[in-house]
Amino acid sequence: MDIIDHQSSCVPPGFRFHPTDEELVGYYLRKKVASQKIDLDVIRDIDLYRIEPWDLIERCRIGYEEQNEWYFFSHKDKKYPTGTRTNRATMAGFWKATGRDKAVYEKQRLIGMRKTLVFYKGRAPNGKKTDWIMHEYRLESEENAPPQASKF
Amino acid sequence: MDIIDHQSSCVPPGFRFHPTDEELVGYYLRKKVASQKIDLDVIRDIDLYRIEPWDLIERCRIGYEEQNEWYFFSHKDKKYPTGTRTNRATMAGFWKATGRDKAVYEKQRLIGMRKTLVFYKGRAPNGKKTDWIMHEYRLESEENAPPQASKF
């Protein structure tokens, strides 16, 4: 896989990808939205609504180590005109927001927001809550649904 | 400082230095002992017996992030011929081994050992125990006091 090769050739042993919210928004998401080069291709592009959370583990692997967080970029799904389909649904379930969005700061300046979502199996408004948690980051200044850097 | 510059120019945002015992011994210590190039100069050379643990924080800083572990290479002090001076003493205190050494494996193969030491203020056999813990790594096959990659 791409990422494994990049990782092993560019980052020395002992380094782990544990970005802060500020780094995810201020560096990775900002560059992605601006179509700028990202130093190391550690965050994959996926279509979040065509993949189940448990299938992300392989897709978003970094190197060979054990992970319990996976990072990816995904475009926000557009709502269906009929309104019958849940916006954040996959085949097996749906993502539902929980709690309040958290502000992301860079040196006191608001640069983005972080939304937390939980994955439910089944169809809204029913569905069985799972342990899968997603943090969805957005740039604060962008209006038109920028790509999301998300973290499980 | 050297490390900050190296770090910021070579490792992309979001990466933290959290090496495993296997990486410390199998990559960093092994290369150091063999005088081979280490990709990124994150582990400083110090003289452990001329520096107090609390002074290592600045010396062994990596980048700008909060750390609670510091990594360095140091030669083992040679025992004084008279035998009156504790081998692992600094000006303010001494390092004393605790527990049993732990084996370090690389794919089932023993490659090194890890000794745990505690820092005591004062002079042996007296001295006041502190919270400073050191892990001292050595290659298993080396006989003549190789440099140590140590972790607080």
Short mmCIF file of all heavy atoms in Angstrom, two decimals, chain B residues 50-71:
data_model
loop_
_atom_site.label_atom_id
_atom_site.label_comp_id
_atom_site.label_asym_id
_atom_site.label_seq_id
_atom_site.Cartn_x
_atom_site.Cartn_y
_atom_site.Cartn_z
N ARG B 50 27.32 13.73 34.45
CA ARG B 50 27.60 15.15 34.62
C ARG B 50 26.34 15.99 34.45
O ARG B 50 26.39 17.20 34.27
CB ARG B 50 28.65 15.62 33.60
CG ARG B 50 30.03 15.06 33.88
CD ARG B 50 30.98 15.41 32.75
NE ARG B 50 32.26 14.75 32.94
CZ ARG B 50 33.25 15.24 33.69
NH1 ARG B 50 33.10 16.40 34.30
NH2 ARG B 50 34.38 14.57 33.83
N ILE B 51 25.22 15.35 34.48
CA ILE B 51 23.97 16.10 34.30
C ILE B 51 22.91 15.53 35.24
O ILE B 51 22.81 14.31 35.42
CB ILE B 51 23.51 16.06 32.83
CG1 ILE B 51 22.35 17.04 32.58
CG2 ILE B 51 23.12 14.67 32.39
CD1 ILE B 51 22.11 17.33 31.10
N GLU B 52 22.15 16.41 35.86
CA GLU B 52 21.08 15.97 36.76
C GLU B 52 19.83 15.69 35.93
O GLU B 52 19.62 16.31 34.88
CB GLU B 52 20.78 17.05 37.81
CG GLU B 52 21.99 17.56 38.56
CD GLU B 52 22.79 16.46 39.26
OE1 GLU B 52 22.21 15.40 39.56
OE2 GLU B 52 24.00 16.65 39.49
N PRO B 53 19.00 14.79 36.39
CA PRO B 53 17.82 14.42 35.60
C PRO B 53 16.99 15.62 35.17
O PRO B 53 16.54 15.71 34.03
CB PRO B 53 17.03 13.48 36.51
CG PRO B 53 17.83 13.25 37.73
CD PRO B 53 19.12 13.97 37.61
N TRP B 54 16.78 16.57 36.09
CA TRP B 54 15.92 17.72 35.77
C TRP B 54 16.56 18.65 34.73
O TRP B 54 15.87 19.47 34.14
CB TRP B 54 15.56 18.49 37.04
CG TRP B 54 16.71 18.67 37.98
CD1 TRP B 54 17.61 19.68 37.98
CD2 TRP B 54 17.08 17.79 39.03
NE1 TRP B 54 18.52 19.50 38.97
CE2 TRP B 54 18.23 18.33 39.64
CE3 TRP B 54 16.56 16.57 39.54
CZ2 TRP B 54 18.87 17.73 40.72
CZ3 TRP B 54 17.20 15.96 40.61
CH2 TRP B 54 18.35 16.53 41.20
N ASP B 55 17.88 18.52 34.52
CA ASP B 55 18.52 19.33 33.49
C ASP B 55 18.46 18.68 32.10
O ASP B 55 18.80 19.29 31.09
CB ASP B 55 19.98 19.61 33.86
CG ASP B 55 20.09 20.49 35.10
OD1 ASP B 55 19.22 21.36 35.28
OD2 ASP B 55 21.04 20.29 35.88
N LEU B 56 18.02 17.44 32.08
CA LEU B 56 17.88 16.74 30.80
C LEU B 56 16.69 17.25 29.99
O LEU B 56 16.66 17.14 28.77
CB LEU B 56 17.67 15.25 31.04
CG LEU B 56 18.90 14.44 31.39
CD1 LEU B 56 18.50 13.10 31.97
CD2 LEU B 56 19.72 14.25 30.13
N ILE B 57 15.73 17.80 30.68
CA ILE B 57 14.49 18.22 30.02
C ILE B 57 14.77 19.17 28.86
O ILE B 57 14.25 18.99 27.77
CB ILE B 57 13.55 18.90 31.06
CG1 ILE B 57 13.16 17.86 32.11
CG2 ILE B 57 12.33 19.50 30.39
CD1 ILE B 57 12.33 18.43 33.25
N GLU B 58 15.63 20.15 29.12
CA GLU B 58 15.97 21.09 28.05
C GLU B 58 16.90 20.47 27.02
O GLU B 58 16.73 20.64 25.82
CB GLU B 58 16.65 22.34 28.64
CG GLU B 58 15.68 23.42 29.09
CD GLU B 58 14.69 23.79 27.99
OE1 GLU B 58 15.11 23.96 26.84
OE2 GLU B 58 13.49 23.87 28.29
N ARG B 59 17.87 19.71 27.52
CA ARG B 59 18.88 19.13 26.63
C ARG B 59 18.28 18.14 25.65
O ARG B 59 18.77 18.01 24.51
CB ARG B 59 19.96 18.42 27.46
CG ARG B 59 20.94 19.35 28.15
CD ARG B 59 21.89 20.00 27.14
NE ARG B 59 22.72 19.01 26.44
CZ ARG B 59 23.82 18.47 26.96
NH1 ARG B 59 24.26 18.85 28.13
NH2 ARG B 59 24.49 17.58 26.29
N CYS B 60 17.29 17.43 26.07
CA CYS B 60 16.77 16.34 25.24
C CYS B 60 15.37 16.63 24.70
O CYS B 60 14.63 15.72 24.34
CB CYS B 60 16.78 15.03 26.02
SG CYS B 60 18.43 14.60 26.61
N ARG B 61 15.05 17.88 24.62
CA ARG B 61 13.75 18.27 24.07
C ARG B 61 13.66 17.89 22.59
O ARG B 61 14.62 18.01 21.85
CB ARG B 61 13.57 19.78 24.25
CG ARG B 61 12.19 20.29 23.93
CD ARG B 61 12.14 21.79 24.09
NE ARG B 61 12.29 22.22 25.47
CZ ARG B 61 11.35 22.11 26.39
NH1 ARG B 61 10.18 21.57 26.09
NH2 ARG B 61 11.55 22.52 27.63
N ILE B 62 12.48 17.46 22.18
CA ILE B 62 12.24 17.17 20.76
C ILE B 62 11.11 18.07 20.31
O ILE B 62 9.99 17.96 20.78
CB ILE B 62 11.82 15.70 20.54
CG1 ILE B 62 12.92 14.75 21.03
CG2 ILE B 62 11.52 15.45 19.07
CD1 ILE B 62 12.53 13.28 20.97
N GLY B 63 11.40 18.97 19.39
CA GLY B 63 10.36 19.87 18.90
C GLY B 63 9.83 20.76 20.01
O GLY B 63 10.55 21.15 20.92
N TYR B 64 8.55 21.05 19.92
CA TYR B 64 7.98 22.03 20.84
C TYR B 64 6.96 21.43 21.79
O TYR B 64 6.36 22.11 22.60
CB TYR B 64 7.30 23.16 20.06
CG TYR B 64 8.26 23.92 19.19
CD1 TYR B 64 8.37 23.64 17.85
CD2 TYR B 64 9.05 24.92 19.74
CE1 TYR B 64 9.27 24.34 17.05
CE2 TYR B 64 9.94 25.62 18.95
CZ TYR B 64 10.05 25.33 17.61
OH TYR B 64 10.93 26.01 16.83
N GLU B 65 6.73 20.15 21.67
CA GLU B 65 5.61 19.59 22.43
C GLU B 65 5.99 19.26 23.88
O GLU B 65 7.16 19.17 24.23
CB GLU B 65 5.11 18.33 21.75
CG GLU B 65 6.20 17.28 21.65
CD GLU B 65 5.69 15.94 21.14
OE1 GLU B 65 4.68 15.46 21.65
OE2 GLU B 65 6.32 15.40 20.23
N GLU B 66 4.98 19.12 24.69
CA GLU B 66 5.14 18.64 26.06
C GLU B 66 5.73 17.23 26.03
O GLU B 66 5.32 16.39 25.25
CB GLU B 66 3.77 18.55 26.74
CG GLU B 66 3.14 19.87 27.09
CD GLU B 66 3.77 20.44 28.35
OE1 GLU B 66 3.76 19.76 29.38
OE2 GLU B 66 4.27 21.59 28.29
N GLN B 67 6.70 16.99 26.88
CA GLN B 67 7.26 15.64 26.96
C GLN B 67 7.27 15.17 28.40
O GLN B 67 7.44 15.98 29.31
CB GLN B 67 8.72 15.64 26.48
CG GLN B 67 8.91 15.76 25.00
CD GLN B 67 10.40 15.86 24.65
OE1 GLN B 67 10.87 16.93 24.29
NE2 GLN B 67 11.14 14.77 24.78
N ASN B 68 7.10 13.90 28.61
CA ASN B 68 7.38 13.36 29.93
C ASN B 68 8.36 12.18 29.84
O ASN B 68 8.56 11.46 30.81
CB ASN B 68 6.10 12.99 30.69
CG ASN B 68 5.20 12.11 29.88
OD1 ASN B 68 5.63 11.49 28.90
ND2 ASN B 68 3.95 12.03 30.28
N GLU B 69 8.96 12.05 28.67
CA GLU B 69 10.04 11.09 28.49
C GLU B 69 11.12 11.77 27.67
O GLU B 69 10.82 12.52 26.74
CB GLU B 69 9.55 9.84 27.73
CG GLU B 69 8.55 9.02 28.49
CD GLU B 69 8.16 7.76 27.71
OE1 GLU B 69 8.39 7.70 26.50
OE2 GLU B 69 7.61 6.85 28.35
N TRP B 70 12.38 11.49 28.00
CA TRP B 70 13.51 12.10 27.28
C TRP B 70 14.48 11.00 26.90
O TRP B 70 14.73 10.07 27.68
CB TRP B 70 14.19 13.14 28.17
CG TRP B 70 13.27 14.28 28.50
CD1 TRP B 70 13.14 15.46 27.81
CD2 TRP B 70 12.33 14.35 29.58
NE1 TRP B 70 12.18 16.24 28.39
CE2 TRP B 70 11.67 15.59 29.47
CE3 TRP B 70 11.96 13.48 30.62
CZ2 TRP B 70 10.67 16.00 30.36
CZ3 TRP B 70 10.98 13.88 31.50
CH2 TRP B 70 10.34 15.12 31.36
N TYR B 71 15.05 11.12 25.72
CA TYR B 71 15.89 10.06 25.19
C TYR B 71 17.31 10.58 24.99
O TYR B 71 17.49 11.71 24.54
CB TYR B 71 15.33 9.57 23.85
CG TYR B 71 13.94 8.99 24.01
CD1 TYR B 71 12.82 9.81 23.95
CD2 TYR B 71 13.76 7.64 24.25
CE1 TYR B 71 11.54 9.29 24.12
CE2 TYR B 71 12.49 7.11 24.43
CZ TYR B 71 11.39 7.94 24.36
OH TYR B 71 10.14 7.43 24.54
#
